[in-house]
Amino acid sequence: MSLTAGIVGLPNVGKSTLFNAITKKNILAANYPFATIDPNVGVVTVPDERLAKLESMYMPERTIPTSFEFTDIAGLVKGASQGEGLGNQFLSYIRETDAICEVVRCFDDSNIIHVEGQIDPIRDIEIINLELTIADLEIVGNRIDKMKKKVESSKDKEALIEMEALKKAKESLEKNIPLRLVDFTEEETKALRSYSFLTIKPMIYLANISEDDIAKPDNEYVQMVREYASKEHAKCVKICAKVESELSELNDDDKKEMLSMLGLPESGLDELIRETYDLLGLSTYFTVGPDECRAWTFKKGMNAKECAGIIHTDFEKGFIRAEVMSYQDLIDCGSELKVKEAGKARLEGKDYIMQDGDICHFRFNV
């Protein structure tokens, strides 16, 4: 299952440094706008202590964590929706993502140029969000103009629903309300899906702080970002891209030691990856055995048959049943045998809605 979170922001706010840390890739991170021109895609593993525990229980030949993609998109500038900078190209890259991680600079440093001249996180957020809004508004306006005659001369139910959804979207965007905050009906949401609107994508704000602020309470910039995010019912993660880049170069033991020295319970990147995973509406199920322990990503709400298809299409085509136990039941009981003896192992059919932490063995016949 390939889902992507796009990292966006103004130039020189720490996007590429953060991306380097996330993927341990040495892409160009330079102190000038447009240092990153093509989108850089990296696959990241999702930290999950449960998989490590399963590995210790089964001692498999290999252990495979679940993962998803982050895309680093070059810095947007004011006027991007009208083609300023490399705007239109970059906006098209954002359109291909499933969620947006917006990096906001929340520290002062005279040695790092700010494209707007001074630090103001809310102004920076609004520059980015306005460009996304303008781009969506242009698409909505063009589509409404093209559909007017068709809707007037037709009683096509789907076309009427689409037109109403577009009008609702236009009204909201003109008020600078992102589409993710609009209460669309299920039918309207379906009608708008093919447009890949930018402002309908779930958003998470990343407050990039300095090393000096790591162990301190939120500075005034971070407080501003958190307040802004809360009004949008969005998440805000505080992170120091520079420190995370250093942490990414360390082995696990040295990383734990450095986190302890910094007074941090966990890496900011681990929090970011976990929050983004949740933002995308993802959960994890496991398959276990002496050959392999593996975590699999699925969208919340998927049934057992659909989840079987994530492993292989034949599993879905010939699905018979799923043998399921929960991770917590396995831990509590201590072994698969004891889970069965306790009556907590289950046989589930194709319509069973998979739960995070399910451990499955799929039976199929093709």
Side-chain angles (χ1 to χ4, degrees), residues 257-275:
E257 184 179 347
M258 185 173 174
L259 286 170
S260 178
M261 290 172 59
L262 293 169
L264 298 175
E266 66 174 342
S267 160
L269 282 182
D270 286 350
E271 182 184 358
L272 167 60
I273 292 168
R274 190 176 60 251
E275 292 288 4

Side-chain angles (χ1 to χ4, degrees), residues 2-6 39 41 69 71 73 88-100 195-198 201 280:
S2 179
L3 290 169
T4 303
V41 179
E69 293 179 348
T71 300
I73 299 166
N88 290 328
Q89 182 182 357
F90 297 160
L91 289 171
S92 71
Y93 293 145
I94 300 171
R95 210 173 293 285
E96 294 171 5
T97 66
D98 301 286
I100 299 174
Y195 293 105
S196 297
F197 287 126
L198 300 172
K201 299 179 186 296
L280 288 168

Side-chain angles (χ1 to χ4, degrees), residues 96-107:
E96 294 171 5
T97 66
D98 301 286
I100 299 174
C101 299
E102 186 169 329
V103 182
V104 187
R105 182 169 159 184
C106 292
F107 64 91

Side-chain angles (χ1 to χ4, degrees), residues 24-86:
K24 297 184 181 178
K25 285 189 174 183
N26 188 26
I27 62 168
L28 177 63
N31 183 24
Y32 55 89
F34 315 124
T36 309
I37 296 176
D38 295 321
N40 295 272
V41 179
V43 177
V44 298
T45 58
V46 179
D48 196 326
E49 293 179 357
R50 296 174 298 181
L51 188 61
K53 187 69 175 177
L54 292 172
E55 182 180 27
S56 68
M57 293 178 72
Y58 286 87
M59 302 297 289
E61 292 182 12
R62 58 186 177 275
T63 301
I64 304 175
T66 189
S67 62
F68 64 94
E69 293 179 348
F70 272 103
T71 300
D72 178 39
I73 299 166
L76 291 169
V77 294
K78 190 182 297 183
S81 56
Q82 277 76 50
E84 289 296 322
L86 298 176

Side-chain angles (χ1 to χ4, degrees), residues 254-301:
D254 290 342
K255 181 178 175 181
K256 287 179 182 177
E257 184 179 347
M258 185 173 174
L259 286 170
S260 178
M261 290 172 59
L262 293 169
L264 298 175
E266 66 174 342
S267 160
L269 282 182
D270 286 350
E271 182 184 358
L272 167 60
I273 292 168
R274 190 176 60 251
E275 292 288 4
T276 306
Y277 194 70
D278 183 64
L279 186 73
L280 288 168
L282 304 178
S283 289
T284 302
Y285 75 84
F286 303 96
T287 53
V288 296
D291 294 331
E292 177 183 279
C293 282
R294 183 164 183 167
W296 300 87
T297 297
F298 69 97
K299 283 283 265 184
K300 293 174 183 176

